[in-house]
Amino acid sequence: MIPQAYRQHYAVGAFNVTNIETTQAVISAAEELKSPVIVQTSEKALDYAGFDNLVGIVLGMAKKSTVPVVVHLDHGRSVDIAKKCLTAGYSSVMIDLNKLPFADNLSRTIEIVKIAKQYGASVEAELGGIMGREDYVKNSAPRLTDVGEAVQFVQRSGATVLAVGIGNAHGVPMANEKLHFDILEKIQKATNFPLVLHGASSTAASEITKAIRLGVVKINIDTDIRLAFSTALRKFMHANPDIYDTREIIGAGREAIYHVVAKKISIFNSIGKA
Ligand code: G3H
Ligand code: ZN
């Protein structure tokens, strides 16, 4: 999925899911638009739903999908959780060790890559820090990826893709959030490697297009899904105070997510690439 996107200059959307409805919405939008898609679960989502429950949902739906679906661990913080997901059947894991010194981040990533290879799975690593909060992961200030370190990392780690810190932030927009495209361009020129953009909710379509041009092939979206879901539920319940069928209420949220995901897929230029 990733090499093809890199060659053809589009990005695959990686959407965070937490339950049946979010997973249905993401996969059905991808199917409708004939786009490949990445369904990702954070450690907190796995804790919330129960590991086996959420894994059962995502793997079950991925298997039945009419488009290619990668099931991915988002922001895994340890070798253990990555191993657990690989054993369960995930086709990709992220190991987020960006707070460790470079040498430790590299050596543990190499360890995970070795394990992932046994499963034929991919590995996403991270260099540089992404501001804001994404479930269990938090950074108060941006740490821009060092270009020289990125070169060494992609040459030695064996990772499939690299998440970079270019001023991007998780969650709702932050005051000091600003994408440094000059750094992204330098990283891309120096590494010639597929890159990942985290914290892409609320990012303008023009900026996404520019990032894709500069080698971004995987784009992570969570907050826009949460906002769509919660806004739709609030609206629905306000407009229908007598409805208590939870399926109708949550169904309004599922539909809202579907539209958000479809819009992102179109911006990412992956329509018809399945
Ligand atoms: O890892 C997930 C993301 O980077 C999502 O970021 O919540 O800002 O969309 P977001
Ligand atoms: Zn992230």
Side-chain angles (χ1 to χ4, degrees):
M1 197 184 272
I2 292 297
Q4 180 178 315
Y6 191 56
R7 274 195 310 273
Q8 297 185 16
H9 305 290
Y10 63 89
V12 181
F15 301 98
N16 284 73
V17 301
T18 52
N19 55 22
I20 291 176
E21 285 78 11
T22 43
T23 313
Q24 286 175 322
V26 169
I27 294 183
S28 58
E31 286 179 336
E32 180 64 30
L33 297 174
K34 300 194 172 24
S35 168
V37 76
I38 299 168
V39 168
Q40 58 187 15
T41 61
S42 69
E43 284 189 63
K44 190 172 178 182
L46 291 164
D47 288 344
Y48 161 78
F51 186 89
D52 292 339
N53 298 331
L54 190 52
V55 166
I57 289 167
V58 291
L59 288 180
M61 287 191 205
K63 207 183 271 173
K64 286 196 178 144
S65 174
T66 58
V67 293
V69 179
V70 162
V71 177
H72 176 75
L73 168 68
D74 187 33
H75 290 287
R77 294 169 302 162
S78 66
V79 173
D80 280 356
I81 183 67
K83 248 191 208 167
K84 199 172 168 189
C85 288
L86 290 167
T87 311
Y90 276 40
S91 38
S92 180
V93 290
M94 175 185 189
I95 186 83
D96 177 356
L97 305 171
N98 77 81
K99 283 188 178 153
L100 294 183
F102 177 82
D104 297 339
N105 185 352
L106 178 62
S107 63
R108 277 194 226 172
T109 302
I110 289 172
E111 196 183 330
I112 283 292
V113 168
K114 263 190 205 148
I115 302 166
K117 268 196 182 142
Q118 295 164 17
Y119 293 89
S122 309
V123 174
E124 174 183 348
E126 180 172 323
L127 258 191
I130 294 152
M131 274 191 302
R133 164 166 273 186
E134 173 68 20
D135 284 350
Y136 293 146
V137 178
K138 196 180 162 195
N139 280 311
S140 43
R143 269 181 300 109
L144 302 176
T145 302
D146 179 89
V147 180
E149 285 190 354
V151 171
Q152 280 194 54
F153 201 90
V154 303
Q155 284 174 352
R156 294 163 61 189
S157 66
T160 319
V161 282
L162 182 68
V164 288
I166 55 163
N168 41 331
H170 286 130
V172 290
M174 294 177 82
N176 49 345
E177 183 173 353
K178 176 188 177 324
L179 295 183
H180 296 272
F181 287 104
D182 52 331
I183 295 177
L184 183 61
E185 188 167 10
K186 280 183 192 150
I187 297 170
Q188 181 53 221
K189 275 195 177 143
T191 62
N192 196 22
F193 196 73
L195 305 171
V196 182
L197 184 67
H198 280 247
S201 287
S202 310
T203 303
S206 58
E207 296 208 305
I208 295 283
T209 304
K210 204 167 167 185
I212 294 172
R213 225 185 303 128
L214 295 173
V216 165
V217 292
K218 172 178 181 277
I219 300 183
N220 285 18
I221 301 287
D222 188 358
T223 301
D224 280 349
I225 288 178
R226 298 180 189 198
L227 289 172
F229 188 80
S230 51
T231 305
L233 256 62
R234 278 191 198 101
K235 261 194 201 154
F236 184 88
M237 291 176 79
H238 185 73
N240 303 279
D242 298 332
I243 292 182
Y244 58 89
D245 182 333
T246 49
R247 292 162 300 190
E248 283 191 53
I249 298 167
I250 298 175
R254 179 173 64 183
E255 201 184 320
I257 296 173
Y258 172 94
H259 292 298
V260 165
V261 172
K263 197 168 172 202
K264 300 288 180 192
I265 285 175
S266 149
I267 295 169
F268 300 165
N269 198 25
S270 68
I271 294 180
K273 301 293 199 300

